[in-house]
Amino acid sequence: MDQENNSEDDSVGPSGDGMPCLPPDLSDGEAMELLWQLRAQRRQSSPELPETVSCLTAPDGSILYLVGTAHFSDSSKKDVATTIRAVQPDVVVVELCQYRVSMLKMDENTLLKEAKDINLDKVQQAIKQNGLMSGLMQILLLKVSAHITEQLGMAPGGEFREAFKEAGRVPFCKFHLGDRPIPVTFKRAIAALSLWQKARLAWGLCFLSDPISKEDVEKCKQKDLLEQTMSEMIGEFPALHKTIVAERDIYLTHTLRQATRCVESPPNAQKVPAVVVGVVGMGHVPGIERNWDKQLNINEIMSVAPPSRIGWVLCAVIKGVMMGMLGYACYRAGGSLGRALLSLPPVRSLLETLRPLPA
């Protein structure tokens, strides 16, 4: 996929629930013109929007309404719904990539179960998708998400599901995925950390147990508290902040600018300024605002450097240890039982994951 056209390629069709019913005898052209007029009537020229919404303008006059959200927040869901209903956008862009799009169509109960259930299959999938070290780091970050989910009884990404639902109710509204593919982010993040930093980060994530309240989450919508938290994070892991936050600020800015372009009106195919709603975590809003008018090079943040020799040796050691543990388990289990164990699909899949890559 051409990453520079990601906002165009990574489109997801909204469900369309809530669209107005039209007279059956209308031609296609008449129906399109009627829907265009209906949306124009619904669109507020000077909308009163939540404080979490910023407004950015493109050179062609197109407008971006950027909604900063907390990913575990009922209030953010309301902010997203209010904004989309008020401005009736041409495009909605969310902070998701194609690897996380499944959360848009899962119900809350299924997502809660998925977030809490980190099993062998998920570990194998993460390792196959991202490589050993990046995959294990993804599992540790899933553990953090599961911890917050368990504390709050709320699945992440509610604001994205709300945006997907509301976009389906707006005539002609397109829905785009605006985030950098998560495997690229994880691989670049791991490559940027030293071995000692990786160990410290893994230790901190493994033993995360502090209680979290809904009030704590809502405080994340205050820019001063968020910037203070980010400053603390930069001091401890500046390379991690660069890859996970700053680089994604650039990527999100790029995809939002791609979406914020003139659109054709159905009556006469005339180009008119677009109205776009972007839904991103509040931590990305300052970076997007800073990058909005800058020249951006996306290719620089899409490349993944090959693993260092130390990283390769560490991966080989971990693979060897896991193979040894599996072999010892088969030995203790006995010949027939050991063969039966090796024939199980999860074990065969794990062996396939641990097989060394060809030189």
Side-chain angles (χ1 to χ4, degrees):
M1 181 183 295
D2 182 359
Q3 295 299 338
E4 290 202 359
N5 292 323
N6 190 69
S7 66
E8 293 295 328
D9 293 336
D10 287 352
S11 298
V12 180
S15 61
D17 294 340
M19 293 286 283
C21 295
L22 299 176
D25 56 343
L26 291 179
S27 67
D28 290 346
E30 291 172 335
M32 291 181 66
E33 186 171 355
L34 182 59
L35 287 172
W36 186 269
Q37 292 173 356
L38 177 62
R39 190 183 66 172
Q41 292 171 3
R42 291 178 175 177
R43 181 178 286 172
Q44 300 176 20
S45 57
S46 301
E48 292 187 9
L49 300 175
E51 294 180 355
T52 54
V53 179
S54 305
C55 185
L56 298 170
T57 304
D60 64 8
S62 298
I63 298 175
L64 169 66
Y65 294 97
L66 190 62
V67 188
T69 68
H71 294 317
F72 292 83
S73 169
D74 286 330
S75 177
S76 287
K77 291 164 61 175
K78 294 176 183 176
D79 290 352
V80 169
T82 299
T83 303
I84 293 177
R85 291 172 189 174
V87 305
Q88 295 288 295
D90 298 286
V91 185
V92 171
V93 182
V94 296
E95 183 200 330
L96 288 176
C97 68
Q98 64 267 37
Y99 294 92
R100 293 178 288 158
V101 71
S102 59
M103 73 160 54
L104 293 176
K105 295 188 177 181
M106 287 186 184
D107 61 75
E108 194 81 7
N109 292 331
T110 302
L111 282 165
L112 283 170
K113 182 179 178 182
E114 286 286 317
K116 295 177 182 179
D117 182 23
I118 300 177
N119 52 34
L120 180 61
D121 288 338
K122 286 187 178 180
V123 175
Q124 292 174 21
Q125 183 179 359
I127 292 175
K128 282 185 177 180
Q129 187 181 91
N130 304 306
L132 182 62
M133 295 303 296
S134 299
L136 292 176
M137 189 59 64
Q138 180 179 352
I139 292 300
L140 290 174
L141 291 174
L142 281 175
K143 180 182 179 294
V144 174
S145 178
H147 170 66
I148 300 175
T149 297
E150 187 174 5
Q151 290 280 316
L152 300 181
M154 179 189 302
E159 73 273 32
F160 302 139
R161 291 188 292 280
E162 193 71 18
F164 184 68
K165 180 178 70 175
E166 291 294 334
R169 295 173 174 169
V170 179
F172 304 103
C173 184
K174 296 179 180 179
F175 191 91
H176 290 172
L177 308 176
D179 204 359
R180 182 171 66 178
I182 197 168
V184 176
T185 297
F186 276 127
K187 288 176 182 177
R188 287 183 61 85
I190 290 298
L193 294 177
S194 67
L195 186 60
W196 171 242
Q197 287 175 321
K198 292 172 187 174
R200 286 175 58 205
L201 179 63
W203 179 268
L205 294 175
C206 280
F207 293 94
L208 179 71
S209 59
D210 294 338
I212 302 169
S213 68
K214 291 190 177 183
E215 288 74 18
D216 292 332
V217 175
E218 292 303 326
K219 285 179 183 177
C220 288
K221 297 173 70 175
Q222 301 173 13
K223 292 186 178 182
D224 55 342
L225 176 63
L226 186 67
E227 288 172 358
Q228 178 183 345
T229 304
M230 292 308 300
S231 296
E232 295 172 359
M233 180 176 164
I234 290 172
E236 192 163 1
F237 296 108
L240 195 65
H241 173 265
K242 179 177 182 293
T243 53
I244 292 182
V245 181
E247 289 184 358
R248 288 173 60 224
D249 288 347
I250 294 172
Y251 193 91
L252 286 164
T253 304
H254 171 75
T255 53
L256 287 165
R257 290 201 314 209
Q258 290 284 95
T260 312
R261 293 176 172 178
C262 285
V263 296
E264 289 186 355
S265 62
N268 51 19
Q270 182 181 356
K271 293 281 188 178
V272 296
V275 173
V276 178
V277 170
V279 183
V280 302
M282 179 59 78
H284 291 292
V285 172
I288 293 170
E289 291 176 341
R290 284 194 302 270
N291 291 320
W292 186 249
D293 295 318
K294 294 181 180 179
Q295 290 288 106
L296 304 176
N297 187 346
I298 298 303
N299 293 330
E300 289 182 356
I301 61 171
M302 292 304 296
S303 61
V304 179
S308 65
R309 187 164 185 82
I310 293 177
W312 181 88
V313 171
L314 180 61
C315 289
V317 170
I318 293 175
K319 289 181 179 181
V321 171
M322 294 180 73
M323 288 289 286
M325 293 172 62
L326 183 59
Y328 180 72
C330 293
Y331 167 75
R332 295 287 297 176
S336 59
L337 188 55
R339 284 191 295 273
L341 179 63
L342 287 172
S343 68
L344 292 174
V347 176
R348 294 178 66 181
S349 179
L350 179 60
L351 287 173
E352 185 68 24
T353 300
L354 297 176
R355 182 179 297 171
L357 295 174

